[in-house]
Amino acid sequence: MVMTSKEQKLGSGVGFERIRRITGYLVGTMDKWNDAKKSEEHDRVKHGLAK
Amino acid sequence: MIKNIVKRDGRVVLYDESKIQKAISKALAASGEGDDASAKQLADSVQAKLTAECGENPPKIEQIQDAVEQGLMRAGFDNAAKKYILYRANRTRIREANTSLMKSIDEITNVDARLSDMKRDNANIDGNTAMGSMLQIGCAGAKAYNAAYLLTPEQNKAYAEGDIHIHDFDFYALTTTCCQIDLLKLFKNGFSTGHGYLREPKSIASYAALGAIAIQSNQNDQHGGQGVPNFDYSMAEGVAKSFASIYARKLKEGLEDALESDDEKALATLAIEKASQATGNAPRLEIDADEFDAAVIRTIYEDGRMDNAHAAHLVQTVRKRATQQTDRETFQAMEGFVHNLNTMHSRAGAQTPFSSINYGTDTTPEGRMAIKNILLATDAGLGHGETAIFPIHIFKVKEGVNYNPGDPNYDLFELSCRVSAKRLFPNYVFLDSPFNLQYYKAGHPETEVATMGCRTRVMANTAYPDSEIAYGRGNLSFTSINLPRLAIEAKGDENLFYKKLDAMLELVARQLLDRFEIQATKHVYNYPFLMGQGVWIDSDNLGPNDELREVLKHGSLSIGFIGLAETLTALYGHHHGESEEMEQKGLEIVKHMRDFTDAESKRTGLNYGLLATPAEGLSGRFIRMDKKRYGEIAGVTDKDYYTNSFHIPVWYGISAYDKIHKEAPFHALTNAGHISYVELDGDTANNIEAFESVVRCMHDAGVGYGSINHPVDRDPVCGYVGVIGEVCPRCGRHEGEEIPFEKIEELRKLYPEMTSFCGCE
C-alpha cells in the first residue's frame, strides 16, 4: 500500500511488540503465551545490581 | 422375560443372552476357573435376576454388568470376578478417554487459540492454523491412546491427577526428545534429508544453509529442540573453504589485470599449489599467511613477467580483498541462517524449528570470523529489525579462551554481551563451573558442555563411560514431579514428605524405564534422518532394520521437579530466598533427588539425571489442580503458576548478586539441565559494563547456564527497538495510535537504514 496523500496517517490499531523470554527461549509477542506464563511474566520483578 | 436392553448412548437394542455367556466364559478362561457349562448356568441366573429386578423395563448395560459381577462372586469364582471387574474398569477408562478426546478435538477445531489455553500450551505452535490444528488433533488422539494403553493404572492416575507430568506425552510411543547435531560429521561426504541428497558443502553460504536444513530435518524425527554443539567449529570449515576459493579467484583476476592477459588460471593454480606444498595448507585466513604469500610471490616472480615488488603488492591486495569478501560472505551466510531458522517450517508447517547453537571457544581465525558474524547478524535483527526468536544462542564461556582480557576470544565475549543486551541472546554456559570443567579437555570441543532446547544438558555417560561428550547425544524422555503437592500433603512433617518423595521418585523412574522399553524397540527406519544419517551417536554402525536399544543408552532419562520455593513454604513457612536455613533445606531436597537418580543410573546402567524443569505448559497445570484440591494456601497455591524448578520466586525482591549465589549451588545438582535468570531493567541492560558484570558474577558463582532478561519492545510503525513504556520514544505515539504521514517522512530522513515503516508500505 503506498501512502501519498499528506492527510493520511499510519499506525492506526498497530500495537507494540513485546518480546520476552518464556523458559530459555524467546517468544515473539506474548499473545501466544498460556495464561499461567502470562501471569508469571506479569509478576516478574527486576533485580538490582547492589550486593 | 427380557426382550430389550438400553445401551450407554440410550439406544434400545434386542437382548442377546449369548453375549453375556461369552463375557462370562472369557472371565472364567482368564482366571482358569469353571467351564462352558458353568458359564451357561451363570448367564441364566443373571437373566433371572434381571427379570426379577426390571420386570418389563429393559435393563441398562451397567445393571447387566453389575449382575454378572455379583453372579461370579456368588458362584465362588473370585478370581474370574476380579478379572471381570478389571476388564470393566479398563473399558470405562478407554470410553472416558474417547469422550474427552472428542471434546478436545471439538475445542481445537472451533475455538480461537487466543481464547483456548489448551491451544497455547506450547507458544511455538500456532493453534489457529490448519496444520497447527491438525497437529493438535493428532496430539490429543495420541495422548488418549497412550493413557489408555501404555501407562500402568498407577502411572496414569499419577499423571491424570497431577502428581507428575509426563512431558511431550503425545510422542510417548513415537520418539525421543532432542539431540546435539555434530554438523562436521554430518557434512562429511554429504548427506540425505530423506527428500534428496546433498553434496558436501564448499562455501560458508552452503555450510550455513545446510546447517539450517539439518536442524529442520532432525526436528521432524524428534519432539524436542535441536542443538548444534559446535557451531563455530562447523562454520569455520565453511569459512576456510570460502577463503581458499576467493583467494584463488582474486589471485587469478589480479594477475590478469596486472599482466593484461585474458586467462591466468594456470599461473594462479600453480602458485597456490606450490604454496600449499610449502605450508601444508590451502590458503588460510592469517594462519601461515606470510609463508604462504611468500611462496605465491616466488612462483609469480619465477614466471618471469613480473618483478618481486609488483608481485608482493599484488598478493598483499589479493589477501586483503579475499579476507574482506570472506568476512562479507560470512555475515550474509549467518544472516541467512538466522532468517532461515525464523521462517522455515517443520512438523507439517506448524512450527519453526526449535533450535539452539553453541559457540565461543573456537579460536582459529575462521572460527572467530563465524562467531563475530553470527553475533552481528543477530544484532542486526530480521528484515524489519525484529528480534529473532530462533536460534537460541549459547555462548560457551571459558577462562583462558574468552573470559579474561588477553584471552584470544575475549573480544568476542565482549561482543556477545553487547548483542545479548540488545537481543536477549546469547545465553551463557560456563565451562569453568566444576561440574562442567570435569569433562573439559582442551582441544576436544566435544567435551565442552553445550545445551539445547530450554536447558537440556547431557554429559555423564553411565552406559558408555568412554563417551562423556555432548556430540550426537540428547535426552530420551523426562517426567516432572509436583513437589509442592508432596509438601502440602505432608502437612509440615518432614519425614512424611521424604517418604512421599521417595515413592514418587520410584514411580517416575519406573515410568521412564517403561517408556525406554518402547523407544528401545524402535528401528533405524523409524528415524530416517536422526538414525539413518548417523546424527545420533553410534547409529552410523547400524543398518536400517536394526533396533535402537544399544545406541539409545547414550541418551538421558530425566526426572524433573517444579516449585521448590512453594515446597519449602508449604513445609517450613518460607522459601530459600528468605533465609540461609531454607537454602540449606532446599539443597537437601534437591540433593536427595540427585542421589536417587545417581543410584538409579548405577543400578540400571542407564543415564538417569535430575532436571530443573522448564515450566511452560506445566507452570499452570499443577497449581490449578492443587488450588482446587487444597484451596488457596498463602505463598503456595495463591498464584497462577508454580515457580520454575529451583528458582527464587519471580515476584520476590532480591538483588542479582544474591539470586545468582542462591541458585548456583542447585546447578551443581541438576545434571540433566538447569538455567538461572536475572531480570534487569532496560537502562541497566543497556549499560554493557553492568551487563557483563552480571555474566561474570554467574561465572564466578559456579552457575552452569544462565541468561539475562530485560524488556525488548519494538514499535512496528517507526522500527524502534528498546524499552517502550506508554509512549514510543522515537515516534511519540501510544499503542494503537496513528501518526501523520509527515512524521514518517521526517523519520525516514533521520533513520535512512529503515527500509519501510509500519510494514505496510
Side-chain angles (χ1 to χ4, degrees):
Chain A
M1 162 159 87
V2 181
M3 296 282 188
T4 45
S5 161
K6 294 270 175 201
E7 268 86 78
Q8 279 180 299
K9 295 176 171 188
L10 272 181
S12 174
V14 178
F16 299 139
E17 291 170 8
R18 300 188 188 276
I19 295 198
R20 301 291 183 270
R21 198 183 310 270
I22 191 157
T23 66
Y25 71 99
L26 307 182
V27 168
T29 74
M30 289 174 37
D31 50 354
K32 285 197 221 159
W33 288 38
N34 69 51
D35 297 342
K37 282 306 283 193
K38 273 185 193 162
S39 167
E40 190 245 86
E41 199 280 337
H42 175 263
D43 290 354
R44 290 178 190 176
V45 296
K46 305 291 176 203
H47 303 119
L49 292 188
K51 280 190 186 177
Chain B
M1 189 63 198
I2 298 170
K3 293 194 192 82
N4 297 309
I5 63 157
V6 184
K7 294 193 72 165
R8 275 195 187 78
D9 58 10
R11 279 180 299 153
V12 178
V13 297
L14 277 180
Y15 172 71
D16 178 358
E17 197 195 287
S18 72
K19 281 192 176 164
I20 293 180
Q21 194 185 325
K22 216 181 279 172
I24 294 170
S25 286
K26 274 190 190 159
L28 289 174
S31 66
E33 295 169 312
D35 54 17
D36 281 355
S38 33
K40 169 85 178 102
Q41 210 181 341
L42 264 170
D44 289 344
S45 76
V46 165
Q47 187 179 337
K49 184 168 188 294
L50 288 171
T51 311
E53 268 178 21
C54 306
E56 286 304 302
N57 297 324
K60 293 182 175 141
I61 287 278
E62 295 291 334
Q63 274 177 297
I64 300 173
Q65 291 184 332
D66 286 347
V68 171
E69 231 175 83
Q70 290 158 7
L72 282 166
M73 283 192 282
R74 216 173 311 128
F77 298 126
D78 286 353
N79 285 328
K82 266 186 211 150
K83 295 274 177 202
Y84 187 76
I85 291 166
L86 271 179
Y87 165 81
R88 260 185 94 179
N90 203 37
R91 294 299 305 169
T92 306
R93 187 150 77 103
I94 293 170
R95 215 169 27 249
E96 279 167 2
N98 285 342
T99 312
S100 96
L101 173 59
M102 289 309 137
K103 273 193 200 137
S104 299
I105 293 179
D106 192 52
E107 181 169 340
I108 293 164
T109 312
N110 295 315
V111 181
D112 186 326
R114 281 168 294 184
L115 304 174
S116 165
D117 206 41
M118 178 176 79
K119 297 182 75 171
R120 281 179 281 118
D121 192 40
N122 179 339
N124 191 25
I125 294 181
D126 187 348
N128 273 335
T129 62
M131 291 303 152
S133 300
M134 183 54 106
L135 197 70
Q136 288 179 335
I137 290 171
C139 290
K143 279 182 180 170
Y145 168 81
N146 297 340
Y149 291 95
L150 300 180
L151 296 182
T152 66
E154 191 195 17
Q155 291 163 359
N156 187 51
K157 186 166 179 285
Y159 175 52
E161 293 180 359
D163 293 333
I164 62 170
H165 185 73
I166 302 171
H167 295 264
D168 302 292
F169 187 57
D170 37 353
F171 283 101
Y172 199 77
L174 302 176
T175 185
T176 52
T177 312
C178 53
C179 182
Q180 290 284 11
I181 308 169
D182 174 6
L183 290 180
L184 285 178
K185 181 181 163 202
L186 181 69
F187 288 171
K188 184 105 189 123
N189 301 321
F191 64 94
S192 166
T193 61
H195 299 283
Y197 182 79
L198 297 162
R199 276 191 302 272
E200 183 171 327
K202 291 205 166 55
S203 68
I204 184 58
S206 36
Y207 267 72
L210 264 53
I213 289 172
I215 289 170
Q216 182 188 33
S217 301
N218 217 42
Q219 170 102 357
N220 286 320
D221 278 353
Q222 295 192 292
H223 58 66
Q226 296 303 319
V228 175
N230 54 348
F231 187 74
D232 39 3
Y233 297 93
S234 303
M235 292 303 121
E237 215 179 82
V239 173
K241 285 182 182 176
S242 275
F243 180 76
S245 73
I246 295 169
Y247 184 100
R249 196 167 67 240
K250 296 274 176 205
L251 180 62
K252 172 181 170 290
E253 289 167 1
L255 287 167
E256 285 161 3
D257 288 348
L259 298 170
E260 295 184 14
S261 140
D262 280 344
D263 187 4
E264 291 298 334
K265 185 160 192 221
L267 179 57
T269 308
L270 179 73
I272 285 172
E273 254 175 38
K274 283 194 164 177
S276 297
Q277 276 163 17
T279 60
N281 253 331
R284 294 272 312 264
L285 273 173
E286 298 174 35
I287 290 177
D288 294 335
D290 292 344
E291 196 188 347
F292 191 96
D293 290 355
V296 171
I297 294 164
R298 207 175 313 125
T299 310
I300 297 170
Y301 173 70
E302 283 165 4
D303 175 67
R305 288 179 287 165
M306 205 186 285
D307 64 35
N308 234 332
H310 273 102
H313 178 69
L314 186 147
V315 172
Q316 195 189 5
T317 309
V318 164
R319 175 164 290 275
K320 192 177 81 196
R321 290 191 180 154
T323 305
Q324 284 167 350
Q325 185 164 342
T326 307
D327 198 29
R328 262 200 311 276
E329 288 187 11
T330 304
F331 177 79
Q332 282 161 2
M334 295 303 108
E335 201 176 33
F337 181 78
V338 172
H339 283 226
N340 269 337
L341 287 183
N342 283 282
T343 52
M344 72 197 317
H345 288 167
S346 72
R347 297 188 185 142
Q351 272 181 291
T352 45
F354 196 138
S355 50
S356 304
I357 55 173
N358 297 262
Y359 55 81
T361 53
D362 186 346
T363 54
T364 65
E366 291 85 359
R368 287 173 45 73
M369 190 176 269
I371 298 170
K372 180 189 82 178
N373 283 302
I374 189 71
L375 286 168
L376 291 179
T378 303
D379 191 57
L382 300 177
H384 291 110
E386 304 101 316
T387 296
I389 305 302
F390 287 115
I392 297 172
H393 296 243
I394 301 107
F395 194 93
K396 297 193 265 193
V397 177
K398 179 77 192 75
E399 281 170 25
V401 177
N402 54 30
Y403 185 60
N404 289 310
D407 289 347
N409 281 1
Y410 180 66
D411 56 335
L412 297 173
F413 171 61
E414 284 193 302
L415 176 61
S416 78
C417 289
R418 204 184 79 193
V419 174
S420 191
K422 178 168 170 194
R423 298 294 190 181
L424 292 161
F425 287 142
N427 301 343
Y428 292 88
V429 87
F430 299 98
L431 301 182
D432 294 310
S433 294
F435 47 91
N436 289 340
L437 193 62
Q438 71 181 100
Y439 300 104
Y440 180 82
K441 292 191 193 100
H444 291 272
E446 68 275 16
T447 63
E448 297 169 2
V449 168
T451 76
M452 64 200 134
C454 294
R455 62 190 66 186
T456 299
R457 167 188 184 276
V458 179
M459 279 313 271
N461 200 339
T462 312
Y464 303 98
D466 293 340
S467 291
E468 297 201 306
I469 58 171
Y471 292 10
R473 301 177 61 207
N475 174 254
L476 302 180
S477 61
F478 62 115
T479 296
S480 293
I481 293 177
N482 183 349
L483 219 46
R485 178 179 293 179
L486 300 177
I488 295 168
E489 299 222 317
K491 299 193 172 72
D493 180 341
E494 194 178 68
N495 287 331
L496 184 60
F497 169 77
Y498 276 101
K499 224 173 111 189
K500 285 174 176 295
L501 178 57
D502 282 337
M504 206 51 75
L505 286 164
E506 286 288 348
L507 183 139
V508 173
R510 267 297 309 279
Q511 176 266 313
L512 291 171
L513 196 61
D514 289 352
R515 185 176 176 198
F516 177 77
E517 277 306 316
I518 299 172
Q519 294 166 323
T521 52
K522 298 282 176 186
H523 297 85
V524 170
Y525 60 73
N526 295 122
Y527 311 95
F529 195 79
L530 175 70
M531 299 293 173
Q533 294 299 311
V535 172
W536 186 266
I537 187 167
D538 288 347
S539 66
D540 34 357
N541 302 325
L542 300 177
N545 296 315
D546 286 341
E547 228 184 60
L548 299 178
R549 178 178 303 274
E550 295 310 315
V551 299
L552 278 186
K553 287 182 182 171
H554 280 289
S556 66
L557 302 173
S558 305
I559 300 182
F561 63 94
I562 180 173
L564 181 66
E566 288 81 3
T567 304
L568 291 166
T569 306
L571 271 179
Y572 309 109
H574 36 258
H575 61 75
H576 52 316
E578 294 171 293
S579 76
E580 183 48 35
E581 188 198 349
M582 283 307 110
E583 168 84 357
Q584 291 311 317
K585 287 288 184 195
L587 285 168
E588 273 168 33
I589 294 173
V590 177
K591 170 88 167 40
H592 185 86
M593 293 192 278
R594 171 62 187 275
D595 287 344
F596 175 87
T597 58
D598 280 354
E600 217 41 24
S601 284
K602 212 167 163 194
R603 196 175 64 76
T604 59
L606 296 170
N607 293 311
Y608 277 93
L610 184 64
L611 176 75
T613 297
E616 186 182 346
L618 191 51
S619 63
R621 179 175 181 256
F622 282 160
I623 201 167
R624 269 196 302 275
M625 293 178 170
D626 289 351
K627 213 181 275 191
K628 222 176 261 172
R629 266 194 190 198
Y630 311 107
E632 268 198 20
I633 307 170
V636 184
T637 59
D638 57 354
K639 298 265 186 315
D640 294 325
Y641 52 88
Y642 277 143
T643 297
N644 194 322
S645 64
F646 54 68
H647 288 183
I648 304 294
V650 294
W651 44 263
Y652 182 72
I654 187 169
S655 73
Y657 180 88
D658 283 344
K659 183 170 198 290
I660 290 167
H661 281 85
K662 289 259 180 193
E663 293 184 4
F666 292 97
H667 285 238
L669 296 171
T670 42
N671 55 343
H674 41 236
I675 189 168
S676 278
Y677 304 124
V678 165
E679 303 277 336
L680 295 186
D681 63 42
D683 292 336
T684 315
N686 284 333
N687 173 349
I688 306 301
E689 263 173 44
F691 188 96
E692 187 178 326
S693 77
V694 176
V695 180
R696 301 189 81 85
C697 177
M698 287 181 175
H699 170 278
D700 297 350
V703 162
Y705 184 36
S707 73
I708 295 167
N709 290 335
H710 50 89
V712 175
D713 302 330
R714 177 174 166 272
D715 182 358
V717 169
C718 67
Y720 175 80
V721 175
V723 182
I724 306 180
E726 295 286 300
V727 172
C728 173
R730 182 180 283 178
C731 68
R733 74 183 192 106
H734 288 80
E735 182 138 31
E737 200 175 53
E738 52 191 10
I739 53 171
F741 195 65
E742 291 88 345
K743 179 82 187 168
I744 293 288
E745 289 295 298
E746 206 177 290
L747 289 168
R748 204 188 297 280
K749 282 179 201 134
L750 283 171
Y751 303 98
E753 76 281 5
M754 282 296 296
T755 48
S756 68
F757 288 87
C758 196
C760 46
E761 290 181 287

Short mmCIF file of all heavy atoms in Angstrom, two decimals, chain B residues 11 59 152 377 481 512 572 607 687 708 713:
data_model
loop_
_atom_site.label_atom_id
_atom_site.label_comp_id
_atom_site.label_asym_id
_atom_site.label_seq_id
_atom_site.Cartn_x
_atom_site.Cartn_y
_atom_site.Cartn_z
N ARG B 11 -29.60 -45.96 23.09
CA ARG B 11 -30.30 -46.77 22.11
C ARG B 11 -30.83 -48.06 22.75
O ARG B 11 -30.19 -48.63 23.63
CB ARG B 11 -29.37 -47.15 20.94
CG ARG B 11 -29.20 -46.05 19.91
CD ARG B 11 -28.28 -46.50 18.81
NE ARG B 11 -26.95 -46.82 19.33
CZ ARG B 11 -26.12 -47.68 18.76
NH1 ARG B 11 -26.50 -48.36 17.68
NH2 ARG B 11 -24.93 -47.90 19.27
N PRO B 59 -33.31 -53.53 30.94
CA PRO B 59 -32.21 -53.17 31.83
C PRO B 59 -31.12 -52.39 31.10
O PRO B 59 -31.01 -52.46 29.88
CB PRO B 59 -31.67 -54.53 32.28
CG PRO B 59 -32.03 -55.46 31.19
CD PRO B 59 -33.30 -54.96 30.59
N THR B 152 0.66 -47.78 33.12
CA THR B 152 0.02 -48.64 34.10
C THR B 152 -1.06 -47.80 34.78
O THR B 152 -0.98 -46.56 34.78
CB THR B 152 1.01 -49.12 35.17
OG1 THR B 152 1.44 -47.98 35.92
CG2 THR B 152 2.22 -49.80 34.54
N ALA B 377 24.96 -10.59 12.92
CA ALA B 377 23.70 -10.83 12.20
C ALA B 377 22.53 -10.81 13.19
O ALA B 377 21.44 -10.33 12.88
CB ALA B 377 23.75 -12.17 11.47
N ILE B 481 8.02 -34.01 38.70
CA ILE B 481 7.26 -34.27 39.93
C ILE B 481 6.66 -32.97 40.46
O ILE B 481 7.31 -31.93 40.46
CB ILE B 481 8.19 -34.89 40.99
CG1 ILE B 481 8.64 -36.28 40.53
CG2 ILE B 481 7.52 -34.95 42.35
CD1 ILE B 481 9.63 -36.95 41.47
N LEU B 512 9.76 -44.00 33.37
CA LEU B 512 10.78 -43.67 32.36
C LEU B 512 11.37 -44.95 31.76
O LEU B 512 11.65 -45.01 30.56
CB LEU B 512 11.90 -42.81 32.98
CG LEU B 512 11.51 -41.38 33.37
CD1 LEU B 512 12.64 -40.72 34.16
CD2 LEU B 512 11.18 -40.54 32.13
N TYR B 572 7.94 -25.49 55.60
CA TYR B 572 8.61 -24.78 56.70
C TYR B 572 8.15 -23.35 56.89
O TYR B 572 8.62 -22.66 57.79
CB TYR B 572 10.12 -24.76 56.46
CG TYR B 572 10.74 -26.11 56.17
CD1 TYR B 572 11.19 -26.42 54.89
CD2 TYR B 572 10.87 -27.07 57.17
CE1 TYR B 572 11.77 -27.64 54.60
CE2 TYR B 572 11.44 -28.30 56.89
CZ TYR B 572 11.89 -28.59 55.61
OH TYR B 572 12.46 -29.79 55.34
N ASN B 607 21.32 -43.64 31.80
CA ASN B 607 21.70 -42.30 32.25
C ASN B 607 20.54 -41.55 32.88
O ASN B 607 19.98 -40.62 32.28
CB ASN B 607 22.28 -41.50 31.08
CG ASN B 607 23.59 -42.06 30.62
OD1 ASN B 607 24.49 -42.32 31.42
ND2 ASN B 607 23.72 -42.28 29.31
N ASN B 687 23.64 -0.72 29.74
CA ASN B 687 24.97 -0.43 30.22
C ASN B 687 25.79 -1.72 30.11
O ASN B 687 25.65 -2.63 30.91
CB ASN B 687 24.84 0.05 31.68
CG ASN B 687 26.18 0.22 32.35
OD1 ASN B 687 27.22 -0.19 31.82
ND2 ASN B 687 26.16 0.83 33.51
N ILE B 708 20.17 -13.37 30.90
CA ILE B 708 19.71 -12.12 31.48
C ILE B 708 18.48 -11.65 30.72
O ILE B 708 18.51 -11.52 29.49
CB ILE B 708 20.84 -11.08 31.44
CG1 ILE B 708 21.98 -11.56 32.34
CG2 ILE B 708 20.33 -9.71 31.87
CD1 ILE B 708 23.27 -10.81 32.16
N ASP B 713 11.24 -4.31 23.42
CA ASP B 713 9.99 -3.94 22.75
C ASP B 713 10.34 -3.38 21.38
O ASP B 713 11.46 -2.98 21.12
CB ASP B 713 9.25 -2.88 23.56
CG ASP B 713 8.94 -3.36 24.97
OD1 ASP B 713 8.78 -4.58 25.14
OD2 ASP B 713 8.89 -2.53 25.90
#
